[in-house]
Structures are given as C-alpha cells and as structure tokens.
Amino acid sequence: QSVLTQPPSVSGAPGQRVTISCTGSSSNLGGGYDVNWYQQLPGTAPKLLIYANTNRPSGVPDRFSGSKSGTSASLAITGLQTEDEADYYCQSYDSGLSGSVFGTGTKVTVL
Amino acid sequence: QEQLQQWGAGRLKPSETLSLTCAVYGGSFSAYYWSWVRQSPGQGLEWIGEINYSGSITYNPSLKSRVTMSRDTSENRVFLKLTSVTAADTALYFCARGPRGPGWFFDLWGRGTLVTVSS
C-alpha cells in the first residue's frame, strides 16, 4: 500500500557513498510535505535518522544527510560503515490518506 | 527515560480480535500524538492510525472498518483493536510517539509485538 517508492537494495564498499531515493506524488512530497528517514536494524524498531528533509536528531552521525526536491527525496550515507547495514524507510504525510505513509524500504548492504 | 512498553496476545485464529496495549513511561502523554504501525513479515511499514492530543483519531482507510484505537490518559496507555483478523494481519505491531514536530515524524517506538494469525 506504500505510495512512496524506494529501490529495493543498494550496496557499497566500506568508506563509499551510497544514496537512497524516495519518490512520491503530489499528495505527499510534491504537495510540500516533508520527508523523514528511518533506519531499521534486524529485529529492532525503526530509528529516526533524518526529520523534516535535512535535519539529524541528536546522536545521529553527520555521515547521514537528506535532501528533498519536488516529488523526490534522497538519503545519502557517506563513509559507509559495516554497522550501516540495515533497512531504510522514508516517511511523509499524505493528504489522500489523511495520514502518514512509508516508503517501500531499501536494504543497504556493505560489501 | 522515556519508553514505550507494549503487550498483547501474540497468536490469534482467523476472525478473532487483535488487542494490544502500549504504555508510556517517563514522559508526557497528553502532549503528543500516538500511533500504531505494523510490519508484515519481510515487508515494509504500514501506518494503522493515530490518536491526537484531544483524543481525536484518524485511521488508515484500508483498515478503518476493522480498527479501533483508544487511550487512557490516567494510565498513559494507548490501545489497538483490530477485528475479524486474517492471515494478512500477521505482522509485527509497533506503537510509536507521533507524528510530531517539523516533518511530522515518529521519534519513539515500542519494541513491537508479533501477532500471528493462524488456524
């Protein structure tokens, strides 16, 4: 039921930079609503990584950065580390749903 | 330290009612929205619904006919009921604080309750 589309997987070697895209529509990202990003390690609850497009909560390394333009958003991880291997989800508000919507999720693999 | 503890029946038969509780410890309860989110095995996250400061509730339209959320402000608890469950409702159910703040994010999560629906 996700209306935010992400690539199923991305991978990179330690130290490299990877990006994850999140594509929405006029009822969510394109409607001016912000995007948030979450990291989910295996067997755990999601953890807020980026909020309001570009902001990092306290404690999140600055290796993680976010951007948004129009109906799309991106999460970048620079200096990839083995502990970054996880699933990542984008999330926004959707006016058609009148509620929150999550992305399809992206598995990051560190080679 | 703020934390969410959640519990409920983990195994149901088709047509039964799912019932979960989420207790908020160490933080303000009435100042926030509270939500339920679920994750089917190997799948992504699905927002179920939210209850706001005044007790108003919004449900995901795909579940609206079967879901009921409520809260007890005296005990800082939020409740989820989902009727007529099927195997498709098998999932890890999370309670979460939010949405809130700039961006309308979820910043505090319970550990999740695995609910399995099987005959």
Side-chain angles (χ1 to χ4, degrees):
Chain A
Q1 195 216 351
S2 298
V3 293
L4 299 179
T5 302
Q6 302 177 230
S9 64
V10 299
S11 61
Q16 284 190 330
R17 179 179 187 269
V18 297
T19 61
I20 301 170
S21 62
C22 173
T23 303
S25 66
S26 59
S27 63
N28 41 70
L29 303 186
Y33 298 106
D34 291 333
V35 67
N36 310 301
W37 291 91
Y38 301 84
Q39 177 192 61
Q40 187 178 31
L41 298 171
T44 69
K47 169 191 170 186
L48 181 65
L49 205 60
I50 298 286
Y51 67 93
N53 306 321
T54 61
N55 301 279
R56 284 186 307 276
S58 174
V60 173
D62 60 5
R63 303 185 292 103
F64 296 92
S65 63
S67 64
K68 174 180 174 280
S69 178
T71 58
S72 296
S74 289
L75 173 72
I77 310 173
T78 56
L80 195 63
Q81 299 183 5
T82 54
E83 58 261 38
D84 298 333
E85 200 161 89
D87 294 324
Y88 292 81
Y89 294 91
C90 57
Q91 173 256 325
S92 183
Y93 177 84
D94 188 273
S95 58
L97 204 60
S98 296
S100 297
V101 63
F102 289 91
T104 50
T106 299
K107 182 174 183 59
V108 170
T109 301
V110 182
L111 302 172
Chain B
Q1 181 162 344
E2 301 166 315
Q3 60 176 312
L4 306 180
Q5 288 190 8
Q6 49 180 116
W7 64 89
R11 198 159 192 91
L12 298 172
K13 290 181 166 42
S15 81
E16 292 185 334
T17 296
L18 178 157
S19 183
L20 299 178
T21 299
C22 174
V24 179
Y25 295 104
S28 175
F29 179 79
S30 298
Y32 297 105
Y33 282 44
W34 300 94
S35 294
W36 289 95
V37 175
R38 72 179 183 178
Q39 185 171 35
S40 299
Q43 302 300 311
L45 301 164
E46 180 182 28
W47 171 74
I48 297 172
E50 66 192 36
I51 186 165
N52 73 7
Y53 321 114
S54 61
S56 293
I57 301 167
T58 305
Y59 298 125
N60 187 320
S62 68
L63 296 168
K64 188 174 183 177
S65 63
R66 298 193 292 128
V67 67
T68 302
M69 287 179 60
S70 58
R71 67 177 186 172
D72 182 336
T73 55
S74 66
E75 298 216 342
N76 291 1
R77 294 183 179 184
V78 184
F79 307 98
L80 173 70
K81 288 191 186 302
L82 183 66
T83 62
S84 304
V85 298
T86 69
D89 296 310
T90 293
L92 188 57
Y93 287 76
F94 296 101
C95 61
R97 185 171 68 185
R100 62 182 290 259
W104 216 228
F105 53 79
F106 303 94
D107 65 340
L108 182 66
W109 294 71
R111 296 180 68 173
T113 301
L114 180 60
V115 176
T116 302
V117 181
S118 173
S119 56

